[in-house]
Amino acid sequence: MSRAVTDESREPGVETPMAKRILLGEPLTSEKLDEQLLPKKMALPIFASDALSSVAYAPQELLMILLIGGTALLTLSPWVAVAVVVLLIVVVLSYRQLIKAYPSGGGDYEVASKNLGEVPGVVVAAALLVDYVLTVAVSVASGVDNIISAIPELNPARVEIAVGFVILIVIVNLRGVREASSVFAIPTYLFIGSVALMIVVGLGRTLLGDAPVASSAEFGVEAESLTQVALILLVLRAFSSGCSALTGVEAVSNGVPAFRKPKIRNAQTTLTLMGTIAILLFSGLTALALIANVHYAENPCNLIGFDCANNPQPSLMAQVAAATFGSGSIMFFVIQAATACVLLLAANTAFNGFPLLGSVLARDGYAPKALNTRGDRLVYSNGMVILGIVAIGVLIVYQANLTTLIQLYIIGVFVSFSLGQIGMVRHWRRALRDMQKLPEEARRQQSAQYERRSAISGLWINSVGASLTVVVLLIVTVTKFVHGAWLIFIAIPILAVLMIGVNRYYRDVEHEIRMDDSVHFGSSGDVAIILVNRLQKPVMKAIDYALAANHEKTLAVHVAITEEESTALQKDWAARDMPIPLVIIESPYRAYTSPVTAFIKKYREKHGASVVTVYLPQYIVGHWWESILHNRRSRRLAHQLMLVHGVSITLVPWLLDSSELIYGRRSRPLPGQQRGGQPVAEVPAHRPRKSAAGEPPTP
């Protein structure tokens, strides 16, 4: 049976706060989840912006490391770039196989967990979470770098600008996947088109004999003297920095559930498009940088003739754009703006991958269950907020310095690459063994032969991918470890241990609360207790609720702190002919919880294992400062009484007039009261239920 969902289905009186509605938009119903799924043209900017944007800084980092050994080493850069391209092709082909085998969105984590065991799976998850945080930090820092290259006066506000962009990206993503894809699509496609145009124009000028020349071409370089071993390590370090072009490839495999049907084919097509575009842009930009003779130094002061004290070093992208189109041209500013936007929006890949992976981990019990909850806009908003907070912390600690942050980068992604590819090798080997166990007649069927060929090709592809990614992981570890990457090798194990601890906690709780044959429920009575301080409207409302629940016995209990209060209450109680008996409990030490707890325990000892429901009146206020003016005794009592066996707590809200700021309505009036000049129907009076002796019971 279909069910219509309208605005009337919302809880009456509870409205979305104005500020939240302006920032995030109106809440979406669960039925609109399918409308949030992405077609390929919108999925590309969402999931591929990280991989595509890496071409803006991967060539820069590659050439920068080689330049440490002098300009002569730049002749090795084409070969290093070719190695990066080959690796990127292998990884893209490998992840096409992974998407086909594991389309549920777990990616490398799911592959490693199912094929290598719990610990490798958790290590992969920890590595990916760390890498997503660094993706945000590196992308935003790189985007701010490009903005400062165009407007050097903004350099002193580098950190503030970076933090502001992270907050902006969080807000856009919290509005929902479709809205985020609409916002991010134009800058991503503008970046692809403008950089492709620059590469075509630059190469065309070169073929016509008018090769572009970078502004840094005239600067010499103070090179370090290198031994043969140091030279090899430097080349390997340049390769590992160039491998930052591979970051974000895994995001598509983690985001398969966000694609429209057919999900697997659409995800594979998006991954192929992303890889092809990234390869072409990376290769073209590296070639153009070498043609223009770009000199980009790790320490700008090593550039002979460059005023490093007063000027920030222009990025490689800025130098190539200026050399190709002119530093003051419209296309220069278009490319700088598009590059800055796509670098900033590359963080958006992490804001899709991190929450999706977090939801899978929460589902499997390795992360808090709150990460598996969709927000008002049908996105995993808790994961997005956590990612934003941690990324801001990293940017502040490292002062949004791209050169420092890049040293921490790609360790996590190659840990997940390596273990994921090894897991895929075991997956295909197991699939082939299972096929061998089939009867001869079943193996001869066309579908079985197709599956076998597919498994064999997948085994070969993933075997090559596993071999290469493990080698690259070793290279990256050796070359980046002393430059700050050692922090990642501390963070990943700590996070993995925490996730295993969370899983063990959930497992123990599940074991503790599960049903078994020894579980028996039953009680010999049902008693309600209303805690009374003075006879006021909130107390009357609590008594009304308790009587409406029709308990076997209903008592009002007053904790006597002073004799004057208890005497006044007894007189008022008798004068108003209250329908339930009043029990006075002495409290010589002016405590509330202990006397009530002792009363309940003695009552249950005398009358058997009664179920005791304690009704606690509680004010609901609209201003934050009002909560300071009230003692909040009900909450403290509720917290303590929940530890008493056989007790359940019922908080009875009394909405003060200020609560209209939150709920848009006032407290429910008592019988006989009027609101807005309209009479309110009377509620039938309840008469007291006397005990057997006709007097108020005692414990």
Side-chain angles (χ1 to χ4, degrees):
M1 180 184 297
S2 62
R3 181 175 60 184
V5 179
T6 64
D7 289 342
E8 287 74 13
S9 63
R10 294 186 196 169
E11 184 180 355
V14 181
E15 297 182 357
T16 305
M18 179 66 72
K20 183 177 180 182
R21 192 164 64 246
I22 293 173
L23 286 176
L24 307 184
E26 291 289 347
L28 299 175
T29 63
S30 298
E31 285 79 1
K32 293 185 178 180
L33 182 60
D34 286 345
E35 297 177 13
Q36 298 296 302
L37 298 180
L38 299 171
K40 294 187 292 294
K41 64 180 180 180
M42 305 304 288
L44 184 65
I46 284 286
F47 291 108
S49 56
D50 181 19
L52 295 178
S53 67
S54 63
V55 302
Y57 55 79
Q60 173 177 296
E61 295 300 314
L62 187 156
L63 298 180
M64 179 189 73
I65 300 301
L66 288 176
L67 201 62
I68 294 173
T71 55
L73 287 186
L74 293 180
T75 57
L76 298 175
S77 54
W79 302 106
V80 177
V82 168
V84 172
V85 168
V86 169
L87 182 62
L88 182 54
I89 293 172
V90 172
V91 170
V92 168
L93 292 175
S94 299
Y95 272 93
R96 282 180 58 89
Q97 301 298 318
L98 190 149
I99 289 170
K100 180 180 178 181
Y102 295 93
S104 62
D108 288 318
Y109 158 71
E110 186 177 3
V111 174
S113 297
K114 292 186 175 180
N115 296 284
L116 303 178
E118 179 187 36
V119 173
V122 171
V123 169
V124 166
L128 283 172
L129 293 177
V130 169
D131 185 70
Y132 283 135
V133 171
L134 291 173
T135 294
V136 176
V138 170
S139 299
V140 170
S142 182
V144 172
D145 250 11
N146 277 270
I147 293 175
I148 292 173
S149 295
I151 312 175
E153 293 79 11
L154 296 176
N155 191 44
R158 176 186 297 268
V159 176
E160 292 81 359
I161 295 172
V163 170
F165 276 122
V166 172
I167 294 173
L168 178 63
I169 294 169
V170 171
I171 292 173
V172 172
N173 276 279
L174 288 175
R175 292 186 64 89
V177 175
R178 282 191 63 84
E179 290 204 25
S181 65
S182 300
V183 171
F184 299 152
I186 295 175
T188 302
Y189 286 120
L190 178 62
F191 170 77
I192 295 171
S194 60
V195 175
L197 177 63
M198 181 178 69
I199 292 170
V200 171
V201 171
L203 295 178
R205 285 181 56 185
T206 303
L207 292 175
L208 295 174
D210 181 27
V213 178
S215 58
S216 61
E218 63 185 26
F219 300 140
V221 178
E222 294 180 3
E224 297 181 9
S225 58
L226 302 172
T227 63
Q228 187 173 1
V229 173
L231 176 61
I232 295 173
L233 288 175
L234 189 67
V235 173
L236 292 177
R237 185 183 168 196
F239 171 70
S240 65
S241 294
C243 285
S244 58
L246 277 74
T247 55
V249 174
E250 80 290 343
V252 178
S253 66
N254 291 333
V256 177
F259 283 84
R260 285 184 180 173
K261 296 179 180 179
K263 294 179 180 292
I264 294 176
R265 188 171 67 190
N266 286 340
Q268 287 181 325
T269 302
T270 301
L271 178 63
T272 303
L273 286 172
M274 177 195 72
T276 303
I277 296 171
I279 288 169
L280 293 175
L281 296 185
F282 174 81
S283 304
L285 189 58
T286 302
L288 208 53
L290 292 173
I291 292 170
N293 202 16
V294 172
H295 292 163
Y296 189 91
E298 187 174 30
N299 182 0
C301 294
N302 289 341
L303 292 176
I304 302 172
F306 178 70
D307 184 9
C308 61
N310 299 314
N311 297 308
Q313 184 177 203
S315 66
L316 180 144
M317 183 71 77
Q319 293 189 48
V320 172
T324 305
F325 297 113
S327 59
S329 64
I330 295 176
M331 280 305 302
F332 170 79
F333 287 105
V334 168
I335 288 176
Q336 286 303 100
T339 302
C341 285
V342 82
L343 283 167
L344 293 167
L345 301 182
N348 186 63
T349 298
F351 278 100
N352 282 272
F354 186 100
L356 286 170
L357 179 59
S359 71
V360 174
L361 291 170
R363 180 197 66 195
D364 293 347
Y366 290 102
K369 295 186 182 298
L371 293 179
N372 197 29
T373 303
R374 292 185 183 271
D376 288 347
R377 302 291 294 179
L378 297 176
V379 294
Y380 296 109
S381 51
N382 292 327
M384 292 179 177
V385 172
I386 291 172
L387 175 59
I389 292 172
V390 177
I392 287 173
V394 171
L395 284 167
I396 292 173
V397 169
Y398 287 92
Q399 292 295 289
N401 188 305
L402 178 62
T403 303
T404 306
L405 287 169
I406 204 75
Q407 304 305 321
L408 310 178
Y409 204 25
I410 80 171
I411 296 288
V413 74
F414 272 98
V415 169
S416 63
F417 279 175
S418 301
L419 292 175
Q421 296 306 307
I422 293 172
M424 285 300 297
V425 170
R426 296 195 66 176
H427 166 81
W428 294 124
R429 292 179 65 181
R430 186 174 62 251
L432 289 172
R433 286 198 303 268
D434 292 342
M435 292 177 190
Q436 287 297 116
K437 296 177 183 178
L438 294 174
E440 182 68 25
E441 183 178 348
R443 290 203 302 268
R444 290 179 178 176
Q445 293 181 359
Q446 186 175 359
S447 59
Q449 292 179 0
Y450 173 78
E451 289 180 5
R452 187 173 184 277
R453 288 194 300 270
S454 178
I456 291 173
S457 64
L459 178 61
W460 275 103
I461 292 172
N462 290 124
S463 295
V464 174
S467 303
L468 289 180
T469 52
V470 168
V471 170
V472 174
L473 175 61
L474 294 175
I475 293 173
V476 170
T477 301
V478 170
T479 57
K480 289 181 175 284
F481 190 85
V482 296
H483 295 279
W486 58 271
L487 286 170
I488 305 304
F489 287 98
I490 294 176
I492 290 175
I494 290 175
L495 189 55
V497 169
L498 288 175
M499 286 194 288
I500 291 175
V502 169
N503 180 262
R504 297 298 182 267
Y505 170 79
Y506 281 136
R507 185 188 62 186
D508 292 343
V509 170
E510 186 66 25
H511 177 75
E512 182 179 346
I513 65 176
R514 71 182 180 186
M515 290 291 294
D516 55 44
D517 295 337
S518 64
V519 177
H520 298 286
F521 295 100
S523 61
S524 58
D526 171 29
V527 61
I529 293 176
I530 301 100
L531 293 184
V532 180
N533 186 28
R534 290 182 294 167
L535 198 53
Q536 297 173 311
K537 292 177 181 178
V539 172
M540 291 290 289
K541 183 178 180 181
I543 293 173
D544 187 28
Y545 278 19
L547 292 174
N550 199 27
H551 297 277
E552 292 180 7
K553 191 175 294 183
T554 304
L555 308 174
V557 173
H558 172 73
V559 178
I561 302 299
T562 65
E563 185 176 351
E564 291 79 6
E565 285 185 358
S566 60
T567 301
L569 177 62
Q570 286 176 302
K571 289 181 180 179
D572 201 9
W573 200 267
R576 293 184 179 275
D577 191 24
M578 296 301 294
I580 59 174
L582 175 67
V583 177
I584 305 295
I585 304 175
E586 299 296 332
S587 179
Y589 294 100
R590 299 163 304 284
Y592 284 89
T593 305
S594 298
V596 174
T597 300
F599 173 81
I600 292 172
K601 289 181 178 178
K602 289 180 180 179
Y603 187 94
R604 298 183 83 242
E605 288 175 1
K606 181 176 181 180
H607 298 281
S610 301
V611 174
V612 179
T613 303
V614 180
Y615 289 82
L616 295 171
Q618 178 177 310
Y619 292 143
I620 304 298
V621 299
H623 302 100
W624 65 269
W625 49 265
E626 289 182 89
S627 60
I628 300 175
L629 301 180
H630 298 287
N631 57 30
R632 292 175 286 183
R633 186 184 301 152
S634 294
R635 291 187 182 276
R636 296 197 300 271
L637 282 170
H639 182 73
Q640 295 296 323
L641 291 174
M642 281 191 287
L643 302 176
V644 181
H645 184 68
V647 173
S648 63
I649 310 297
T650 299
L651 294 176
V652 182
W654 182 267
L655 279 67
L656 296 178
D657 286 347
S658 64
S659 65
E660 283 187 325
L661 296 172
I662 302 175
Y663 294 94
R665 61 167 183 259
R666 297 188 179 185
S667 310
R668 180 175 63 85
L670 289 173
Q673 285 186 314
Q674 291 188 350
R675 176 180 294 167
Q678 297 298 323
V680 179
E682 293 279 348
V683 176
H686 295 277
R687 302 310 304 165
R689 299 180 180 87
K690 301 234 182 210
S691 62
E695 297 180 357
T698 57

